[in-house]
Amino acid sequence: MPTPLVIDTDPGIDDALAILLALASPEVDLRLVTTVHGNVELDRTTDNALRVLHLAGRSDVPVAAGAAESLVHPQPERAGHVHGSAGLGGVELPPSPASVDPRPAVVALAELLMTSPEPVTVAAVGPLTNLALLLRVFPEAAARIGRLVVMGGSAARGGNVTAAAEFNVWADAEAAQAVLASTLPTVLVGLDVTLPTVLDAEGIARFAAAGPIGATAAAILQQYLDHARTAYGTTGVVVHDALAVTEAVVPGTLGTVRRDVVVDTGLGSGRGQTLVDRRTVSTAPTAVEVAETVDSPAAVEFLVSRLASLDAR
C-alpha cells in the first residue's frame, strides 16, 4: 500500500516540482498539502499549491492554508528575486476549480494524523511554522507522524540566504528549533546534499518533451535556471525540495547519520544556523537523522524520469 504523505510547503519553484514528483510516485499517496509563508506570502503559496495540483489533474487533493507569519520575529524578506513575485517563475498556471480547505492547516493535519490507520509521512519543504504549531497545539497528533522529512539547514556548507543560514530555517528560526529539538522521527535534508544535486538543461529538456505537464514544469524552472546562471555561473539548478521529497518517497535515498542539532535563534549574524554536532553519533531521543551523503546523478535521474511520466499518467 502507498505510504500516506502530507507536503507542507511554500511554493516556490522547487516546491512545485516537489509536489509534482510526489504525484508521479506510486510509492506514496498525497493526502494533503498544507501551505505556509516563505518564498512568497501565504495567499500566493496557497493559490500556487492549488494551481500546481490542478496542472497535474489532482485538484482532489485538499489544500489547507497555514501560518502567514513566523512564530516570533517577522521574516525579514521573501524570495521573489529567485522565484518570481508570484512564486512560480513568472508562469501563470490556470486557476484551480477547487477551493481552499476551510480548516486551518494545523487542524487539517492533526485530523489526518489522528484518523489515518497507517503512519503518515510529512515532507516539510518550507519554514517550519506549521509543524511547530502542531507540536504545541496538537501534541498527540504530532506524535503519530511516522516520519518527518525536513528540507532545511546545513551541517558543513554554510548558508544560502546568509553566510550561516539556509532559507527555510532562517525564515522561522524559533519554529525550526522547536521541531528539531522534539522527539519526532526527523530526517534533515540540508544544503550538504542538495547543493551537489544539480538538474541540468538536458534533464529539464527530457521532461519538457514528455507533454504539456512536463513542458509547464520546465517553463516554471526557467527563471530558476536563469538565476543560477547569473548568480552562480552554473548550467543547472539545485531543486532542494524535490530531493527532500525523494527521500520521503524512497526512504534511504540519502545517507544519514544521527546527530544532535541546535538552531541559532539569536538576532546576530548567525541567526538561523543549524549547529550540527558531527563529533559523534547521537543516541539522544531528540537527535535528528542528518543527510550527509547522496548519489546525485541517481537522484536527478529519479526526478527527471518521474516528471517525464506525469503526462503518460
Side-chain angles (χ1 to χ4, degrees):
M1 293 291 292
T3 300
L5 175 67
V6 176
I7 296 181
D8 185 66
T9 179
D10 60 334
I13 292 171
D14 53 334
D15 306 75
L17 261 66
I19 293 170
L20 293 174
L21 173 60
L23 295 175
S25 298
E27 299 90 342
V28 295
D29 176 15
L30 185 58
R31 300 277 183 88
L32 174 68
V33 173
T34 53
T35 59
V36 66
H37 69 95
N39 288 318
V40 288
E41 295 77 9
L42 180 67
D43 59 344
R44 291 194 180 276
T45 66
T46 304
D47 187 52
N48 288 345
L50 288 166
R51 290 174 185 248
V52 170
L53 290 167
H54 179 50
L55 169 68
R58 290 299 309 275
S59 296
D60 58 298
V61 177
V63 174
E69 295 291 346
S70 306
L71 291 181
V72 180
H73 299 286
Q75 184 179 332
E77 61 179 306
R78 304 297 179 191
H81 63 291
V82 177
H83 298 269
S85 59
L88 294 180
V91 174
E92 182 76 14
L93 296 181
S96 172
S99 300
V100 178
D101 193 299
R103 298 170 296 175
V106 175
V107 174
L109 177 54
E111 290 181 357
L112 175 61
L113 290 167
M114 294 302 292
T115 57
S116 175
E118 306 91 18
V120 176
T121 295
V122 177
V125 294
L128 290 170
T129 317
N130 289 339
L131 272 299
L133 290 170
L134 181 77
L135 280 164
R136 294 297 183 267
V137 181
F138 298 108
E140 70 286 357
R144 291 175 62 89
I145 292 175
R147 194 162 179 258
L148 174 63
V149 182
V150 172
M151 192 282 121
S154 169
R157 296 291 293 259
N160 64 350
V161 68
T162 71
E166 178 277 328
F167 179 85
N168 285 344
V169 174
W170 169 85
D172 194 343
E174 285 76 16
Q177 169 60 18
V179 172
L180 297 177
S182 75
T183 57
L184 295 180
T186 302
V187 180
L188 187 64
V189 181
L191 301 182
D192 307 275
V193 290
T194 64
L195 288 178
T197 307
V198 178
L199 171 63
D200 62 18
E202 180 183 353
I204 296 170
R206 279 177 55 195
F207 58 77
I213 300 174
T216 303
I220 291 170
L221 269 172
Q222 187 60 51
Q223 176 165 322
Y224 220 32
L225 189 59
D226 292 343
H227 173 76
R229 287 170 176 155
T230 302
Y232 308 116
T234 63
T235 58
V237 294
V238 177
V239 281
H240 307 276
D241 296 344
L243 185 62
V245 168
T246 299
E247 174 62 30
V249 170
V250 184
T253 293
L254 304 174
T256 67
V257 182
R258 195 165 177 83
R259 307 288 196 192
D260 293 318
V261 181
V262 175
V263 177
D264 185 339
T265 57
L267 299 180
S269 58
R271 179 173 174 79
Q273 181 179 8
T274 44
L275 301 167
V276 179
D277 189 347
R278 301 176 71 202
R279 297 172 297 173
T280 183
V281 176
S282 177
T283 58
T286 56
V288 173
E289 292 289 338
V290 177
E292 296 187 358
T293 58
V294 58
D295 183 341
S296 293
V300 170
E301 176 58 30
F302 181 83
L303 172 62
V304 170
S305 61
R306 289 293 170 96
L307 293 179
S309 75
L310 271 172
D311 284 287
R313 288 170 176 267

